[in-house]
Amino acid sequence: MKTQRLSARKISKIHPATAVVYTLMFIFAVIYMIPLLWMIRTAFIDPSKAINLFSISWPTLKNFKRILTAAPFDQYYLNTIIMVFGTLAVQFVSITLAGYAFARLDFWGSKPLFILFLVQLMITPDVLIMPNYRFMGKLGLLDTKLGIMLPFFSSAMGILMMRQTIKTIPYELEQAAKIDGCSLPRIIVQIYVPLLKSAYIAFGLISSSYQWNNFLWP
């Protein structure tokens, strides 16, 4: 009884303006739900009655059967999964090595080369479709999975993320490993790779979502 009285008091204290705002939010939510409900209705209704708003019929799965048999979607999904994870696996290796080189190694031309990598971020990938297509044709990789994945094996954004993250890792860890006799590949694998997990996750989400939704280049 006390709980009911408290809830009744809270309801009675609602400001009229707040009630109007909530009402408008509810109305707009219902309006925005209409396309979703219409899509669900159209999916389970006979195609001859889909346009008629007031038509009623028993739910049917005929539409789903027609769509799933219209094309080899299992092969399409398999191809996409192979290309997404294959590209991502190579990217992890390339951006780690390049990010380490730009962050820790002092070699001739490192700064101009890194600027060239950053310039790539300002170029829309769609602009490079024709040059990449011609280059893949010269390599004989047209209509192949490798030809689709090859232009994305390196990522300027990924290299930038790895470089900036590696710069935040104390260099003393690498120096201590060198004193203990660790080689450079072992230092990268056992010290930097575990500390770059957050950067890998962030880049992996961005890269995989882009590759999964990339319909134009394939």
Side-chain angles (χ1 to χ4, degrees):
M1 293 296 293
K2 292 183 179 180
T3 304
Q4 293 178 354
R5 290 176 182 176
L6 290 174
S7 60
R9 290 178 182 176
K10 290 181 180 179
I11 294 174
S12 62
K13 290 182 180 179
I14 295 178
H15 197 273
T18 305
V20 172
V21 171
Y22 283 141
T23 303
L24 291 175
M25 290 172 60
F26 178 78
I27 293 173
F28 281 112
V30 172
I31 293 174
Y32 286 127
M33 284 289 292
I34 291 175
L36 177 62
L37 297 175
W38 180 268
M39 181 181 65
I40 296 173
R41 171 188 175 275
T42 306
F44 289 98
I45 200 172
D46 190 87
S48 60
K49 301 179 181 179
I51 301 178
N52 190 355
L53 178 61
F54 300 101
S55 62
I56 299 175
S57 65
W58 288 102
T60 178
L61 298 177
K62 183 168 59 176
N63 297 327
F64 293 94
K65 183 179 179 180
R66 178 185 175 187
I67 292 298
L68 293 177
T69 56
F73 286 104
D74 53 347
Q75 186 64 45
Y76 293 164
Y77 275 105
L78 179 61
N79 292 342
T80 304
I81 291 171
I82 291 174
M83 288 186 289
V84 168
F85 288 99
T87 303
L88 192 61
V90 178
Q91 282 179 337
F92 279 155
V93 176
S94 64
I95 66 175
T96 301
L97 297 179
Y100 174 84
F102 285 122
R104 294 294 192 225
L105 302 181
D106 187 14
F107 57 93
W108 184 85
S110 60
K111 292 183 179 179
L113 186 59
F114 183 66
I115 292 174
L116 288 177
F117 273 94
L118 295 182
V119 170
Q120 184 184 345
L121 295 174
M122 295 182 280
I123 301 175
T124 306
D126 298 340
V127 177
L128 303 176
I129 286 181
M130 286 308 299
N132 286 334
Y133 181 80
R134 292 174 181 173
F135 185 63
M136 293 301 110
K138 292 180 181 179
L139 295 178
L141 296 176
L142 294 180
D143 296 329
T144 62
K145 297 182 181 66
L146 181 59
I148 296 175
M149 295 186 292
L150 187 59
F152 299 96
F153 279 169
S154 181
S155 171
M157 183 189 67
I159 294 173
L160 176 62
M161 291 177 62
M162 293 300 117
R163 176 184 180 272
Q164 298 305 114
T165 307
I166 290 174
K167 279 185 169 293
T168 63
I169 298 174
Y171 185 64
E172 288 76 12
L173 295 175
E174 181 176 343
Q175 290 179 326
K178 289 180 179 179
I179 293 174
D180 291 337
C182 288
S183 61
L184 182 58
R186 187 177 178 184
I187 291 173
I188 295 175
V189 172
Q190 294 188 351
I191 294 179
Y192 286 103
V193 170
L195 297 175
L196 292 172
K197 286 182 180 178
S198 58
Y200 286 139
I201 293 173
F203 175 76
L205 292 174
I206 297 172
S207 177
S208 59
S209 62
Y210 175 79
Q211 297 297 331
W212 187 273
N213 297 315
N214 187 11
F215 298 104
L216 185 59
W217 166 242

